[in-house]
Amino acid sequence: MRKPCKLLFGFFFLGLTAVLAQESLQDQPLVSPEVREDGRVTFRLKAPEAASVRVIGNWMPREGFGRASEAMERGTDGLWTLTNPVLPSELYWYNLIIDGVTTTDPSNVHLIRDVASTFNIFIVPGGKGDRYSVQSVPHGTVSKRWYDSPGLGKARRVTIYTPPGYETSTEDYPVLYLLHGAGGDEEAWSDLGRATQILDNLIASGEAQPMIVVMPNGNAAQEAAPGKSSEGLKQPTFMMPRTMDGDYEASFRDVIDFVEANYRVKADKENRAIAGLSMGGFHSLHISRYYPDTFDYVGLFSPVIMPRGNPSAPVYEALDETLATQKNNGYKLYWIGIGKDDFLFDEVTAFRTRLDRLQMPYTYLETEGGHEWPLWRDYLTVFAPRLFK
Amino acid sequence: MRKPCKLLFGFFFLGLTAVLAQESLQDQPLVSPEVREDGRVTFRLKAPEAASVRVIGNWMPREGFGRASEAMERGTDGLWTLTNPVLPSELYWYNLIIDGVTTTDPSNVHLIRDVASTFNIFIVPGGKGDRYSVQSVPHGTVSKRWYDSPGLGKARRVTIYTPPGYETSTEDYPVLYLLHGAGGDEEAWSDLGRATQILDNLIASGEAQPMIVVMPNGNAAQEAAPGKSSEGLKQPTFMMPRTMDGDYEASFRDVIDFVEANYRVKADKENRAIAGLSMGGFHSLHISRYYPDTFDYVGLFSPVIMPRGNPSAPVYEALDETLATQKNNGYKLYWIGIGKDDFLFDEVTAFRTRLDRLQMPYTYLETEGGHEWPLWRDYLTVFAPRLFK
């Protein structure tokens, strides 16, 4: 005897799990968001029982520490819609607010996590958005791998991008160490930062040299991103212990040693770069002067400059002297980028004054915007082409 | 002048994006789900404006093609809660239904996608759940890599697990090719299937041999999972063209050739296994008899047996003759597993009758359950230890 759902599904068959959270099979699946050619975006939600549905996204006006939201309009049959004015080409994120609850759009499986929040994403193509999109170009390999850190006394997970052709060539490659901010982990740059797509595209266009990009976990207290370690499926926290106690910087040779022992790399100063955002910029600043003859390229994206509190870690001492040593040892690029609205703006300005006083050359980019990912993706796109040339 | 939010956040600093979708900073973050030691699980949602909040999860009773849901109870301050009775150790998924909209729990960042639906997950430890958890054991490497498939005329993305020690040893390894079902892709077995955790744990305990696990994309029409190819951030669809037209099976040597040219493998029949779930079981069945002297181990997990419709593909012809050839060539394990409630049960029973008639030996496991991931994770846990011994 044929079972009823076999008959029902005809040519194909459905895992029961696949239909559970979807509309009934008779309905056409909703398209949300629909990104139109002119840059307008339409959001849709079927919610006949809801009294209010709003969209909140990172293109909306700032409101306090967050963003304003915008009401969707209820149509017939409880279909709510909102069409946004034209947006410039970018990668955007948003949530839906359903009767006051901020959550994800069930019609959009493309999600990113930022610390403990999950957002839907979409890309408006035709400009910057194309940089962050998967294009028809050769693709590098992205690996999640574990290595031992004797300095931190634990195994740690790291994301490693090897450029297209790495596996089949016999060449050695330069390495960019790319560090995340507070609340991030070894998944931040590849997921939120679109580093894989950015590098694939810059290498394909000839703008950037083929390079290995190493994206370690910058939280000394953590083995791996939440859910990826034996701590289980915990919620991420922003305020982790040991992010700025100096141990991470002091043990950074562990990850360099691992990479240089396990990958075909050019293991010298002129083929090493280090860059990071926010806390990762802070780490890059201090690592590069603590190991003052190790990196020819340093990138500080919206960086924190000095630790909060007064940790008594050797790595944070003798700032001027170690910067002077780093300067005297020589480097090719010391790059700083920050948004005009960043709450770290004054701190970075004071650091630039310090560099000027030390006659330490640097390249400075001041952009619109605050302390947020659109800037950091953009900074990587500007920074990576300047490396290893 | 210190900017206000710098003062506010004190020791630490927050990216604006990180707080946008969260409760105000004064609130303690909600814990949801809270998995208690005794196996009870509590769900929580702050939703003062909602009229109804329900939990729907894969431990609840079946209802039609889906599951029943259960109402959460509204407490003071609009905090909704539900505590579930004790659940056996497993990996579970669920959604919240907020005023009729099925979506994700904003307090839980641990998500999986099954076709076009996104679910939250949690693990009840102490049994099977431990098999699917990251344990304090050596971890393999998981890579997302692209290879050329001349047979399909395109570059394709593949997930490859190499076991702990692969990179530093000089040994050659056996290979398991592990195939997903309809609506899945090269991310299904690693994400939904927990193949990485299962293999790490089985290898650490000595139950399974160290092996490479290759998880290709089984949809001939696709380069890569939705969002991972140049087609952009499209919604996944269940009914893809060219899943059962024979081209995938006929071109399967492409992925074997790629693996054997690029990894340190034992490239012979006794060190090759192929297994898959549902459509992937179908693929495994037909690939293993189409290349009848290639695999010593075959695993059919809740398999489809024959294509729907009547595709005129050579790969689906001469079933008895090619099975007889496969039998005569010899193999070590032909393994079939299916749940008693699977809508494919009768089809698999008929196939077993065919195998009996051909006097083709196989190992058969009949379990409780339907056509769903808990069985397939379990089957991998049973199947992998039988390989390469």
Side-chain angles (χ1 to χ4, degrees), chain A residues 92-242:
Chain A
Y92 295 95
W93 60 255
Y94 71 101
N95 282 126
L96 299 184
I97 307 175
I98 302 167
D99 286 345
V101 179
T102 302
T103 185
T104 55
D105 179 350
S107 296
N108 181 355
V109 299
H110 300 291
L111 301 164
I112 51 173
R113 172 180 66 83
D114 193 4
V115 195
S117 303
T118 303
F119 304 101
N120 295 99
I121 61 168
F122 63 89
I123 292 178
V124 175
K128 277 184 186 175
D130 294 344
R131 299 281 196 170
Y132 312 146
S133 298
V134 180
Q135 305 286 350
S136 290
V137 298
H139 301 298
T141 298
V142 180
S143 298
K144 308 286 184 184
R145 191 167 163 184
W146 290 73
Y147 69 100
D148 273 321
S149 175
L152 294 174
K154 61 183 75 163
R156 311 199 78 224
R157 191 163 173 266
V158 59
T159 301
I160 297 189
Y161 169 89
T162 50
Y166 170 82
E167 290 96 343
T168 48
S169 90
T170 54
E171 271 178 64
D172 294 335
Y173 289 80
V175 182
L176 164 61
Y177 296 86
L178 190 57
L179 311 184
H180 63 79
D185 50 57
E186 75 277 10
E187 312 220 299
W189 264 112
S190 58
D191 292 359
L192 287 152
R194 308 290 287 183
T196 307
Q197 290 76 31
I198 290 170
L199 265 291
D200 275 357
N201 294 333
L202 289 175
I203 292 169
S205 67
E207 288 163 274
Q209 296 292 319
M211 66 183 83
I212 293 172
V213 184
V214 176
M215 293 162 268
N217 182 310
N219 309 306
Q222 245 184 6
E223 287 189 352
K228 309 298 182 182
S229 79
S230 57
E231 290 186 18
L233 301 178
K234 289 205 174 154
Q235 274 304 92
T237 52
F238 187 79
M239 301 201 187
M240 255 177 287
R242 303 188 59 200

Side-chain angles (χ1 to χ4, degrees), chain A residues 273-284:
Chain A
I274 189 166
L277 72 93
S278 193
M279 179 184 82
F282 166 88
H283 284 152
S284 299

